[in-house]
Amino acid sequence: MNKLKAVVLLVVAAASLAACSGETGGKPRPVETAAPQGSPTGQPPDGPSIPDPLDASPFLGDPCNLTPQAKLSGLGYTEPGEPKTEDDVAKVLAGPSCHWRGTEPGVGMTVQVQTGNRDAGIGGVAGLEKAKQSRQLGFLEQTEGIGGYPAFFAGQSDRRATGTCALAVGIADDLTFTVTSLGYQGAQDSCDNSAGVAAIVIDTLKGGA
């Protein structure tokens, strides 16, 4: 399989995570985004290097620990997250994830570590850019970095106006994670939530949790 085609598969795989999360309500059904990652071959990716890479491996067994509950409560997520580490999406395609349901119907948020893209050799931020150039990724827009790490809004299409905001953050040359906020009122609140959660993840990876 062409590696860039795997990007589309990973986007679809992540969408299935959101669709199966049990969210209800009258707000638009979100489309989860999987952000491509880098090469496991030892070859440097053809893209910007991450000068201070972060190690996500201690959290792959329970990705919910990337976002301590005490910090999420202020964002309206008061219940524990639901980890996904053993299904095909986590183990074969996209990577381990955790989903939280908000207090409002239909509102939710998913954090996913994109190990599937890394293992496919697609290549971190470079993988995102190549996927966009080849039209395997329909939407990619760089935004303000999170904690000094590059961040992009990404997806098969731009769904921010409908309250779905997927944010991909590069934490190593060969690895990104995504935060997707679902069922919000519009672009501002959904993307603010994704950026806030991404900052929590970065803080955790830096040892600040």
Side-chain angles (χ1 to χ4, degrees):
M1 178 186 296
N2 182 284
K3 289 180 178 179
L4 286 178
K5 288 183 179 179
V7 174
V8 173
L9 289 179
L10 296 176
V11 170
V12 172
S16 71
L17 274 176
C20 296
S21 65
E23 295 152 11
T24 59
K27 296 178 182 177
R29 175 70 59 153
V31 176
E32 183 76 32
T33 304
Q37 277 134 76
S39 171
T41 63
Q43 299 176 352
D46 184 16
S49 179
I50 305 297
D52 297 306
L54 298 172
D55 181 15
S57 59
F59 299 92
L60 299 183
D62 190 353
C64 297
N65 289 334
L66 284 166
T67 50
Q69 194 63 48
K71 295 185 178 182
L72 285 182
S73 295
L75 298 176
Y77 295 99
T78 58
E79 299 296 324
E82 303 168 13
K84 294 282 188 179
T85 60
E86 296 299 322
D87 61 0
D88 287 344
V89 171
K91 297 183 73 172
V92 180
L93 293 174
S97 68
C98 188
H99 180 78
W100 290 262
R101 292 186 177 92
T103 55
E104 296 294 325
V107 174
M109 179 268 297
T110 299
V111 172
Q112 189 167 63
V113 183
Q114 302 295 323
T115 54
N117 295 320
R118 178 194 64 191
D119 296 343
I122 300 170
V125 168
L128 285 170
E129 295 170 344
K130 289 178 180 178
K132 180 62 170 65
Q133 291 168 6
S134 66
R135 299 184 180 180
Q136 297 294 325
L137 189 63
F139 166 65
L140 182 68
E141 179 182 304
Q142 187 164 10
T143 185
E144 184 177 353
I146 305 294
Y149 292 83
F152 297 79
F153 299 121
Q156 287 182 302
S157 62
D158 185 358
R159 299 291 301 278
R160 290 175 293 180
T162 67
T164 294
C165 184
L167 182 69
V169 182
I171 55 173
D173 289 352
D174 64 350
L175 188 63
T176 64
F177 72 87
T178 56
V179 179
T180 304
S181 299
L182 320 164
Y184 282 75
Q185 293 296 324
Q188 187 69 51
D189 56 346
S190 61
C191 291
D192 283 352
N193 185 75
S194 289
V197 173
I200 294 173
V201 173
I202 293 293
D203 188 54
T204 299
L205 292 172
K206 288 180 176 181

